[in-house]
Amino acid sequence: MKLSKKMLIFSVSIALVLMLFLLLYFIVLMPNLYLAQRKENTIALAKNLHEGFIKERSYRNLTPDNYFSNFSVVIPKTGYELQFSNKFGNMRVSVENESVKKLIDGLRKLDYNSDNPELSQEAVFALIEEVKLPPLEGFSVDISLNINTGQSMDNARTEYYALSKGVLLANILEQDNLQYVSFIALSDLDNEFIMTMLPTMYDSLSEITPVALGSLPMILLAILVTTFAASQYFAKSVIKPIQQIQNHACTLKNRSPSDWTNLNLEGKDELAMLSGRLDEVHQELKKHYENISAEKERQELFVRASSHELKTPLASALLLCDGMIAKIGKYEDTEAYLPELRKILLSMQKMLQEILLLRSDGDEYALVDFRTLAERVAEQNSILCEQQDMRIEIQGNLQYKTWTNLAYKVMETLIGNAVQHGEPHSVIRVMLYDKGFQIWNQGNIEPQILNNIFEPFVSGAQSKGHGLGLYIVNSYAKLLKWQINIQNEDKGVNLICKMK
């Protein structure tokens, strides 16, 4: 399955999950969250109104939910002069009716500040039921306050909330999917009682839920269309660069590494960074391929040069053998020419040994003490130094983690060359320092071969070797990532090796 189809299926699945979540939200969560939020806001409003009125004794700076139904009453602990206040102003009322006075006395006896107040809606209504109002002037009908405490009160309940001074009652009556709530805040102060009324009504969302569910198909369709469009756009922005990288990889597969090019994918996202890293890898592989090709070419040249160098002494050796076997002319004297044949064979043997030295199998990577290594090589060359009245001085110290056999072969060849080509009665100095060393010997390298000194079979006119020593050393140095430079100085040759 293509990545674009997988992405589309994944996006549609996410959309379906979101649809299911929305459906559950509209049916179950939203009504409960709505009622809880409305209730929390109303409780906070009731507390703020009541405590704000206690502080200000006025509604001037207060903002009630309903200007008509939200009010506060100040009941003195002695006397029957009440203060009614709401957003429209303050009003003082002097109570003369005995039943109302009895109601006020009953309210004074209620416990407002208890942690578990024995204050219920039934207790308040019981007091209110006893209130008998006189006939209004100008009317012939007697008005009395009659509270219905019948069956409808079975759905009523009272909740209590603490105030800083007093208690907040929430008298809740549920009827016909509606909640009728009367918040009554009561505070018992030093000389007075303060009561704040805040009635409200909550819809249980029974009417809103069908409307919300009816709008679900349109919402779901919008989610599907948006998800499909977003997935297509995202697929193009993601899959297209992936396809470009894939096509570029197929193109490079069918090309020679020397012809590899970079994709250079534009952008700053992860795919562009990945493309850049792949381009870097391709360039490294191209570089290694070119190095391998160059090394292969050098090895072919080396083999051809070695064959050429071996061909001449081999032909001479065969000629001597044939002449001595056939006893032709002067070659009849085998005792005289057998030593010459031996010299030719020894020369060929030495050349083969130098060629075999290019192998470095079985090496060990460890910390090498180059002073100990130099002293060991100096001891090996002690007889030759004694014959030529030469001396090797070793200065400084160097410990470096590297391939032990390769390091030994480099030091052995370089110090051996200094002894072999140095001037008699001279001093060879080996100076060790941090990440490198120097070897100085008295002598001179012919200028015409100095630039090609590390090429195979390059040697001076007076040299007795085959020109492979420094070529081998340079090959080892490249493997070790060392850099070796040789230069003529006043009265000597200075070799500098730098380790990375």
Side-chain angles (χ1 to χ4, degrees), residues 320 323-337:
L320 281 175
M324 287 187 291
I325 292 173
K327 297 182 180 180
I328 299 173
K330 60 182 180 179
Y331 298 113
E332 185 177 0
D333 188 2
T334 57
E335 293 183 0
Y337 284 95

Side-chain angles (χ1 to χ4, degrees), residues 208-354:
I208 299 177
T209 300
V211 177
L213 293 177
S215 63
L216 268 181
M218 182 62 67
I219 296 175
L220 300 182
L221 180 61
I223 291 176
L224 280 176
V225 173
T226 304
T227 302
F228 181 78
S231 64
Q232 291 299 310
Y233 173 77
F234 186 71
K236 289 183 179 179
S237 63
V238 173
I239 297 176
K240 185 177 179 180
I242 294 177
Q243 289 176 342
Q244 290 179 332
I245 295 174
Q246 180 184 4
N247 295 335
H248 183 66
C250 293
T251 302
L252 297 184
K253 178 182 177 182
N254 299 323
R255 288 183 181 179
S256 172
S258 58
D259 297 329
W260 283 358
T261 57
N262 292 338
L263 178 58
N264 295 325
L265 189 66
E266 296 181 356
K268 297 182 179 180
D269 56 7
E270 288 79 1
L271 290 175
M273 296 175 62
L274 173 62
S275 175
R277 297 297 178 269
L278 290 176
D279 288 340
E280 293 176 2
V281 171
H282 292 154
Q283 289 303 313
E284 287 293 324
L285 291 175
K286 180 179 179 180
K287 183 178 179 180
H288 288 312
Y289 174 81
E290 292 173 350
N291 291 338
I292 292 173
S293 298
E295 185 63 26
K296 181 180 179 182
E297 183 178 356
R298 289 189 63 181
Q299 289 180 0
E300 290 177 354
L301 291 174
F302 177 77
V303 170
R304 287 198 295 268
S306 301
S307 301
H308 178 75
E309 289 292 325
L310 287 170
K311 183 168 60 176
T312 300
L314 180 59
S316 299
L318 289 173
L319 181 61
L320 281 175
C321 286
D322 291 341
M324 287 187 291
I325 292 173
K327 297 182 180 180
I328 299 173
K330 60 182 180 179
Y331 298 113
E332 185 177 0
D333 188 2
T334 57
E335 293 183 0
Y337 284 95
L338 278 175
E340 296 295 329
L341 177 60
R342 186 174 183 277
K343 288 181 181 180
I344 295 173
L345 293 175
L346 288 175
S347 175
M348 294 171 61
Q349 182 187 33
K350 184 177 180 182
M351 187 182 300
L352 288 173
Q353 288 175 346
E354 290 177 341

Side-chain angles (χ1 to χ4, degrees), residues 102-162:
K102 187 176 181 180
L103 169 63
I104 295 173
D105 292 336
L107 293 175
R108 288 169 178 168
K109 295 178 181 178
L110 295 177
D111 183 7
Y112 301 152
N113 298 314
S114 175
D115 292 336
N116 297 302
E118 297 179 358
L119 187 63
S120 64
Q121 184 169 305
E122 289 80 1
V124 176
F125 285 166
L127 293 174
I128 297 176
E129 279 185 326
E130 299 180 4
V131 176
K132 301 294 181 179
L133 297 179
L136 294 178
E137 186 176 349
F139 291 88
S140 60
V141 180
D142 288 342
I143 298 178
S144 62
L145 189 62
N146 185 18
I147 302 299
N148 180 16
T149 58
Q151 186 175 358
S152 62
M153 295 301 293
D154 295 339
N155 298 326
R157 68 180 187 275
T158 303
E159 296 178 357
Y160 302 92
Y161 303 94

Side-chain angles (χ1 to χ4, degrees), residues 376-392 419:
R376 177 182 168 189
V377 175
E379 180 65 24
Q380 293 175 357
N381 289 273
S382 59
I383 296 177
L384 185 57
C385 289
E386 186 178 349
Q387 291 176 355
Q388 301 187 43
D389 192 21
M390 301 174 70
R391 182 163 48 91
I392 299 176
V419 174

